[in-house]
Amino acid sequence: MSQYRYTFEKGSKKHQCPACHKKRFVKYIDVQTKEYLPEIYGKCDREMNCGYHLNPYKNGYAKDNTIKNEFNYQINRPKVKPKRVCIPKDVFYKTRKAYEENTFIQNLLNNIAFPFESEDIEKIIAQYHLGTVTKGYCKGGTTFPFIDINNNIRAIQVKTFNKSNHTKNTNFLHSIITKHHTQNQRKIPNWLKDYNNNETKVSCLFGEHLLSKYPYNPIALVEAPKTAIYGTLYFGFPNNPKNLLWLAVYNLSSLNINKCKALKGRNVYLFPDLSKEGKAFNLWSSKAQKIQQQIEDSFFKVSDLLEELAPNQDKEEGKDIADYLIKLDWHKFRKEKNKNSLQEAPKKVTEQTKIIEEDSNSTNSKKAISQSKEIQPKTTKIQLEENLIFQEKQTDNWNEEIDELESFFNKINIPKNNCLLNQATKITNVTQFLKSHLAIVKANNGKPIYLPYLRRLQELKHILSD
Ligand SMILES: [Zn+2]
């Protein structure tokens, strides 16, 4: 038995709340008299939207129940964290220029062993919204914005590179601007003051803004933005749903559950950089396991292929995929890709706010690079790795499931209207959706990486059979 004389009324009876007037109010009862306390004592169960709670032990009623029972709006709403401040769009827009002065970009066009075509470099700039620092001690550096799934600019990393695209210096745009203002004894802009109070600066994945644009691609998760850029340039752009969509966490230690929330429902392959005694691999493996358990319908797997293949010296130096890739010829990677490329998956119809009007002239670095050299493809470590990723666990096939799906969709009338697959996915053209999804599951029969396609078809079947 409760030792308190005044307790909440048992059961589910709700009264009108004195604060918000909704019938969501639980009253206190006097267990001795079995009577309600005056109607101001109680708790509104609309915790987030109302939050009224008056406790008879807190305002003195319990000691003296003749005190004046005045209504006095008390809020006990759960404490809300201070709102995260993002980098204003105009600050971000100013970085998107001067690619002819950008060392990283110019190296990719001119200085590496197998330079890229300007078309691909323009595409990569547009995809990840890369930019340039044109003044100060980071002049010629590249900006890597961390843009979240709602197109907010959470952070802008700044890196300077040497001739072989190795990182010279790492910084953040907010630090550079803060320093600039302090040194010149100028007032720090209000947004920056607020921004500097953010608990964490890099609070989303690099490339996160691409997730809704490419809803079906398997994800490659790496440490640094540069590696994500190289991965895309070598393995191909995500407009082909078979290609990996490359995202970066920022650094080894910043892989965490909050950053990975945007990866709900995705297949994620992690590629930590090499490290002494596989420390990076072990750290990410244990984190990946925990993250997978907490994120709905996700599949997280750390690739140990670099660990297996890399010589010890590379491990000592902490080499990453980028270091390997950049020495290799990208042409043969693309050839492999083109052989088995599939039609594009239907575009997702969720409202995608365009943060930038892509202007096709933004790359002032157009440079005709002749690509006439014919190079014989040969198996490289990386190719081997890629093949292994896509073939792993290819034990079962989905013949039965595919047959069942096909016969179902053949015998029903395919709806002409939009169809809501789930909260996150609306299908505009069901016929097109079926065509491309069936093609993909048939071409990749049994490969776990394509299981989400099969699941979506089964989901649609379930919806249409009602
Ligand atoms: Zn209320």
Side-chain angles (χ1 to χ4, degrees):
M1 208 179 120
S2 172
Q3 60 189 57
Y4 291 108
R5 178 168 172 190
Y6 308 119
T7 64
F8 285 124
E9 182 181 18
K10 300 261 182 326
S12 57
K13 194 172 177 190
K14 297 287 161 72
H15 303 262
Q16 194 184 43
C17 169
C20 70
H21 307 291
K22 296 267 192 297
K23 215 176 165 184
R24 298 278 293 272
F25 191 67
V26 184
K27 282 185 163 184
Y28 278 97
I29 210 155
D30 181 336
V31 291
Q32 288 181 6
T33 64
K34 306 263 186 293
E35 274 170 25
Y36 287 124
L37 265 60
E39 63 175 10
I40 59 164
Y41 294 101
K43 189 179 175 210
C44 181
D45 71 1
R46 300 173 69 231
E47 276 176 33
M48 292 310 292
N49 296 315
C50 172
Y52 178 88
H53 180 192
L54 186 60
N55 182 329
Y57 291 96
K58 288 231 169 95
N59 84 331
Y61 180 87
K63 283 190 189 130
D64 174 12
N65 61 14
T66 60
I67 63 162
K68 255 177 125 188
N69 292 311
E70 266 170 15
F71 174 63
N72 178 11
Y73 196 144
Q74 287 189 6
I75 301 285
N76 292 291
R77 220 171 283 188
K79 278 204 184 95
V80 190
K81 276 192 195 159
K83 217 181 154 230
R84 182 194 312 285
V85 177
C86 293
I87 294 176
K89 294 275 155 72
D90 59 314
V91 174
F92 161 68
Y93 291 145
K94 281 181 195 155
T95 64
R96 305 209 67 231
K97 63 182 177 196
Y99 299 102
E100 71 284 355
E101 296 170 31
N102 188 309
T103 311
F104 178 71
I105 299 293
Q106 289 307 313
N107 284 338
L108 293 177
L109 286 166
N110 303 304
N111 294 331
I112 53 170
F114 301 94
F116 290 96
E117 284 164 11
S118 54
E119 197 188 304
D120 281 343
I121 298 303
E122 281 169 38
K123 248 165 100 178
I124 206 85
I125 289 171
Q127 180 167 316
Y128 290 101
H129 302 302
L130 306 180
T132 310
V133 178
T134 54
K135 282 180 281 192
Y137 59 100
C138 290
K139 190 175 186 315
T142 305
T143 55
F144 297 95
F146 285 69
I147 306 170
D148 70 18
I149 205 156
N150 299 312
N151 286 326
N152 297 308
I153 323 288
R154 301 270 189 106
I156 300 180
Q157 194 179 21
V158 174
K159 284 194 168 221
T160 54
F161 296 91
N162 68 11
K163 275 265 170 194
S164 41
N165 263 0
H166 281 120
T167 309
K168 271 167 46 186
N169 211 321
T170 298
N171 213 323
F172 280 96
L173 194 64
H174 68 267
S175 313
I176 296 175
I177 304 175
T178 308
K179 205 169 165 186
H180 179 77
H181 280 79
T182 320
Q183 279 174 348
N184 295 297
Q185 293 173 347
R186 278 171 37 199
K187 198 175 159 270
I188 291 170
N190 283 337
W191 75 264
L192 190 53
K193 252 190 249 166
D194 296 340
Y195 180 86
N196 285 333
N197 286 331
N198 282 346
E199 218 169 279
T200 43
K201 306 293 189 293
V202 185
S203 51
C204 74
L205 298 167
F206 174 74
E208 193 182 290
H209 64 287
L210 298 165
L211 285 167
S212 49
K213 196 172 175 192
Y214 303 107
Y216 308 121
N217 298 61
I219 308 296
L221 200 55
V222 295
E223 292 181 29
K226 183 179 95 173
T227 313
I229 304 284
Y230 283 8
T232 308
L233 286 170
Y234 274 85
F235 292 94
F237 285 83
N239 51 347
N240 179 344
K242 276 187 78 173
N243 286 348
L244 292 159
L245 172 60
W246 291 77
L247 308 182
V249 290
Y250 167 51
N251 62 21
L252 179 72
S253 59
S254 63
L255 174 67
N256 63 41
I257 178 87
N258 278 337
K259 270 192 196 166
C260 291
K261 276 179 184 157
L263 299 174
K264 195 176 141 192
R266 310 292 289 240
N267 289 323
V268 185
Y269 295 84
L270 300 95
F271 296 90
D273 288 350
L274 293 173
S275 56
K276 277 188 194 175
E277 289 145 18
K279 272 185 191 148
F281 175 81
N282 292 335
L283 179 68
W284 274 26
S285 297
S286 71
K287 278 190 178 179
Q289 210 180 358
K290 281 176 203 144
I291 292 170
Q292 182 181 273
Q293 284 165 2
Q294 290 177 65
I295 297 183
E296 224 178 295
D297 301 329
S298 67
F299 172 77
F300 278 71
K301 168 127 179 58
V302 182
S303 165
D304 58 356
L305 283 143
L306 278 176
E307 288 291 330
E308 304 262 311
L309 294 170
N312 271 332
Q313 200 200 326
D314 288 343
K315 292 184 190 173
E316 303 283 317
E317 289 167 16
K319 280 207 174 146
D320 57 23
I321 313 170
D323 295 319
Y324 275 105
L325 283 175
I326 207 64
K327 293 179 195 144
L328 305 172
D329 180 9
W330 54 269
H331 292 83
K332 50 191 183 216
F333 285 78
R334 300 292 182 84
K335 271 185 199 151
E336 279 299 305
K337 284 280 154 219
N338 291 341
K339 256 193 276 170
N340 45 22
S341 75
L342 277 162
Q343 64 185 114
E344 286 193 22
K347 291 213 172 63
K348 210 180 169 190
V349 280
T350 44
E351 276 282 288
Q352 172 90 5
T353 349
K354 254 200 153 184
I355 42 175
I356 302 164
E357 287 311 318
E358 295 302 349
D359 83 12
S360 52
N361 297 321
S362 65
T363 323
N364 301 320
S365 54
K366 281 183 187 152
K367 233 184 160 172
I369 299 156
S370 83
Q371 300 288 2
S372 51
K373 302 165 262 178
E374 188 57 45
I375 293 139
Q376 289 303 312
K378 57 179 175 189
T379 310
T380 63
K381 280 179 185 174
I382 293 299
Q383 258 179 314
L384 180 66
E385 174 172 358
E386 188 197 20
N387 292 339
L388 285 167
I389 295 170
F390 286 102
Q391 283 165 14
E392 68 180 9
K393 287 194 205 157
Q394 203 177 337
T395 43
D396 292 316
N397 66 50
W398 305 326
N399 292 343
E400 255 183 62
E401 286 93 324
I402 295 172
D403 284 347
E404 196 195 333
L405 287 164
E406 271 195 314
S407 72
F408 171 79
F409 289 117
N410 280 336
K411 79 179 181 238
I412 63 155
N413 292 322
I414 304 300
K416 296 271 180 288
N417 300 333
N418 288 344
C419 175
L420 200 63
L421 191 59
N422 53 45
Q423 275 186 321
T425 321
K426 190 162 113 187
I427 306 170
T428 32
N429 185 333
V430 180
T431 309
Q432 180 61 34
F433 174 91
L434 284 174
K435 209 175 130 193
S436 68
H437 269 62
L438 283 167
I440 289 166
V441 292
K442 282 182 194 169
N444 300 286
N445 195 339
K447 292 184 193 172
I449 222 174
Y450 292 98
L451 192 60
Y453 290 81
L454 186 74
R455 292 281 177 262
R456 274 190 287 274
L457 285 167
Q458 290 168 331
E459 223 174 326
L460 182 65
K461 172 174 178 269
H462 181 76
I463 291 166
L464 296 179
S465 11
D466 290 338

